[in-house]
Amino acid sequence: MNTAVNVKVGRNFRCAVDMIPVRLCRFYPAWKVLLWPSVCYLSNMPLEVKPRFVVLYGSQKGQAQSIAEGIAEEAEEHGLIADLCCLNQNDKYNLEKERAPVVFVVSTTGDGEPPDNALQFVKRIKKRTLSPDHYKHLLYALLALGDTNYANFCNCGKTIERRLRELGAKQFYPTGYADDGVGLELVIDPWLKGLWNSIKDTLSKMASDRTVQLKEDSAKEIPESFLPDVQLNLLSIADKQICEPDSKYPSSLAISDVRPASASTVSSSAPKTQACSEGVPQVSLAASLTSSLPPLSESSLNVPALPPPYLDVTLQEADAVEQAVERLSKETCNEVPISKAVQLSKGDSVKTALLLELDISAFPSMTYHPGDSFDVFCPNVAEEVDHLLHRLGFQDQKNHRVQISLKHNTKKRGAQVPPHIPENVSLLFLLTWCLEIRSVPKKAFLRALVEHTSDSAQRRRLQELCSKQGAADYNLYVRDPNLSVSELLTAFPSCSPPLSLLIELLPKLQPRPYSAASSHLRHPEKLCFVFNVVEFPACSGRPTGRRGLCTGWLFDLVNPGLVFPEKAELALPKIHVSLRPNCSFRPPSDPSLPFIMIGPGTGVAPFIGFLQQREEEKKENPEAKFGETWLFFGCRYRNKDYLFREELENFVSSGTLNHLKVCFSREDRKDEEEPPSAAQPRYVQHNLLLCCRQVTDILLRQDGYIYVCGDAKNMAKDVNETLVEMIKTELQVDQLEAMKTLAGLREQKRYLQDIWA
Ligand code: FAD
């Protein structure tokens, strides 16, 4: 038996809704029937009326986007509909008129900048002309992603939140600040868990407010006879769906029916033998990437929902496919020759530091300023691509053209063909240049892999790694060692994912940025940069160490020239780069102002550019007044990794650099028994402390600048804390006051950072 409900949609529009079974009508809560019908088929078509909310994301590397997509997908399980948009799709949402709750998921990039696709939005809401009640109708929740290794933690989220509040918007759920430095999921998981009840409470509250209004309106506009139906539903709320205990992890049943193979074969006390998929016996002494111990191996698991597949991928034989790397970049991407490669580190230095010089004479668009960086486009490692092709069973079709389209019946909200995959490319090109096959698999990815794994022990372990209960193992064996998807597939040999899954779930292969270590004024035709070859040690799941993707690739490109310098010119190849101007990390526009540079290790790179530029400016304008310059540099050993030693000493001789403070963290001490004291600076911050008076004078009394470049994980934090201490001492203020003073310098763009993990 069917009934008819009349739902008022919009001001003067009534939608006659047919075909709701009475059973459903009774249990359908008022807020679902009355509010924001998102799909409303007229006449005798079936009806689906669900309250909606909006999910907006700003994402640089896809993390925030995938969380936002997850929220949108999960909405359905909660009987809701989510409108999912990227913040830059401002034709698809309208916050000025939005009456539904809005959930923001935003990351932060660079030195606290918004992601590229949130820049315009942040700019718009920052306009001072907006009135304080501009968003007074808006109800929002916000999840900010950041990394406490960087100074401006979650700055984009905080900026958006501050402006929303200033413009009158009301928060309906406390903001989550997730920290990639310790594991995003520590905040994200509980935040997501609590989100749903808050959205529903908010919708209920809005529904009851609207009901009052509806009653008033309906007295005027809706014939009396229609009202009872609606009222009846309003009074009979019994929403089964919202009572589900933990719908993010819905399927304990489906999982506990898989026998925990390792539970029966591995115990914490004694080594047991376990058959791996090839039937080769393995001895498990301890937990590892591929096996677990009780209690995990014996628990039932809550695993995330399976991400719905949304792409159809086919391979077509093709005569010609485009392989132009330039198509990967929206900005101008130039193929420039490497004109010189020099190893800066010496002897048995722990890290290998290289300087590369690019010949940009043929590219006038590559004019750069000191402080700018540029992107290097690097391919995935050929052997890893080959390995993947084998695993996917496509080694003979690698030159086929990849055709990607959306599944016509996909349930994924906001589904789109990944924009980072150009049309008309071969499978080989796609795996080599478009997808980050080295990316650390997210839990959703592991979850999806379970479906394509035949060996039950391996299935179980993948389930554990993506489950709530296995979070610690995930961090230990996957996240912390930066395990790549390729390595994971090697460790789980019975897992054979389809190509479409990799395209759906692997992020874009990002170009790597490097700071210019030269001045265009001195070398108009050259662009130099410096890097350490990143080394990943062996670990469970990675039998031998490997190198960083880009730095390892660059090293291999120039290594013949390093080994045989006489053949260097012949051997040096071309690479694809595009400029990334940095408008704030620049020497002071007023050259008479003093500035301090802190750049240990390869962090010294941009300061070589700063100093070369200063030297040229001095030559061009010898009469002008130039402020004092300070450089704090640090490395392990004077004779191994003191990068640019000669050049820096020359800057001092020429008077371009007034103060060079260098420390060596591993140099032998005269008396090793003694702990490092202020007289024996080990790290840049120790030297900074020794110059406390001069440094604070420059910053607090001479309108000077301070620049920090290099390692975000330790150095930038330590320097920041030291600066706070120095300000405390110098101004005789408390911690909070000192932090405020430093924040003020940051705000004035006189304390600038260019740091990386
Ligand atoms: P990837 O394969 O991308 O691996 C790097 C990742 O692995 C990082 O997440 C890192 O945290 C992690 N990691 C590193 N070592 C280990 C380990 N042993 N175990 C586990 N995980 C590990 N770098 C420079 O050297 N010089 C520069 O001038 C420079 N300028 C930069 C400017 C900007 C604006 C930015 C954002 C970054 C800059 N970087 C610079 C960093 C650079 O872009 C790359 O990230 C770096 O060179 C590593 O790239 P990769 O592809 O070799 O390593």
Side-chain angles (χ1 to χ4, degrees), residues 373 378 436 438 480-482 512-516 529-532 534-537 542 546-552 580 602 605-606 713 754-757:
S373 47
C378 59
E436 185 94 46
R438 283 268 189 97
D480 296 345
N482 261 46
R512 278 33 176 186
Y514 293 92
S515 309
F529 65 106
V530 187
F531 60 91
N532 282 325
V534 171
E535 301 281 349
F536 295 86
R542 182 188 300 137
R546 64 165 158 84
R547 292 175 311 197
L549 185 67
C550 187
T551 54
R580 270 172 71 120
T602 49
K713 272 214 161 102
D754 190 8
I755 54 180
W756 57 83

Side-chain angles (χ1 to χ4, degrees), residues 10 92 113 117 125 136 155 180 208 212 215 233 246-247 252 298 329 354 491 513 585 665 738 749:
K92 297 208 172 136
E113 317 295 334
N117 58 19
I125 61 170
K136 77 164 198 275
N155 192 46
D180 206 13
S208 55
V212 174
K215 269 193 196 165
N233 285 304
D246 185 358
S247 56
S252 330
E298 287 168 353
S329 168
L354 297 183
F585 200 84
S665 62
K749 304 240 176 256

Side-chain angles (χ1 to χ4, degrees), residues 209-409:
D209 293 350
R210 285 276 294 267
T211 310
V212 174
Q213 195 197 335
L214 183 73
K215 269 193 196 165
E216 289 167 9
D217 288 357
S218 60
K220 292 177 219 153
E221 293 177 27
I222 304 180
E224 281 299 319
S225 55
F226 289 130
L227 277 175
D229 280 348
V230 175
Q231 294 304 309
L232 192 69
N233 285 304
L234 273 174
L235 294 171
S236 59
I237 299 174
D239 183 5
K240 299 273 187 240
Q241 296 189 53
I242 63 172
C243 296
E244 268 179 25
D246 185 358
S247 56
K248 175 151 188 258
Y249 299 97
S251 55
S252 330
L253 270 184
I255 299 314
S256 47
D257 65 357
V258 179
R259 254 190 74 67
S262 42
S264 58
T265 51
V266 182
S267 93
S268 54
S269 52
K272 293 271 169 76
T273 304
Q274 181 184 348
C276 80
S277 62
E278 280 96 10
V280 182
Q282 275 186 341
V283 176
S284 264
L285 292 164
S288 69
L289 173 68
T290 48
S291 65
S292 61
L293 295 175
L296 179 59
S297 58
E298 287 168 353
S299 24
S300 21
L301 303 171
N302 297 112
V303 299
L306 185 65
Y310 67 98
L311 292 178
D312 278 328
V313 178
T314 53
L315 295 178
Q316 283 188 345
E317 232 171 302
D319 296 332
V321 278
E322 287 194 42
Q323 311 289 15
V325 178
E326 288 84 347
R327 292 176 66 210
L328 298 173
S329 168
K330 274 188 239 133
E331 321 304 330
T332 329
C333 169
N334 297 310
E335 191 180 12
V336 298
I338 299 175
S339 43
K340 195 158 91 185
V342 182
Q343 180 162 341
L344 298 181
S345 52
K346 297 191 182 82
D348 59 348
S349 172
V350 174
K351 294 180 183 173
T352 304
L354 297 183
L355 174 135
L356 300 195
E357 180 194 84
L358 305 177
D359 177 357
I360 53 168
S361 52
F363 305 96
S365 64
M366 292 278 300
T367 306
Y368 62 96
H369 297 274
D372 282 350
S373 47
F374 62 96
D375 282 335
V376 173
F377 292 81
C378 59
N380 284 311
V381 176
E383 293 77 44
E384 289 171 26
V385 171
D386 215 44
H387 171 243
L388 256 188
L389 282 167
H390 273 82
R391 286 302 295 275
L392 298 170
F394 289 135
Q395 59 275 33
D396 297 331
Q397 284 135 288
K398 64 182 178 196
N399 293 317
H400 283 31
R401 178 188 296 142
V402 185
Q403 299 257 301
I404 309 173
S405 57
L406 286 183
K407 277 190 184 303
H408 70 275
N409 58 350

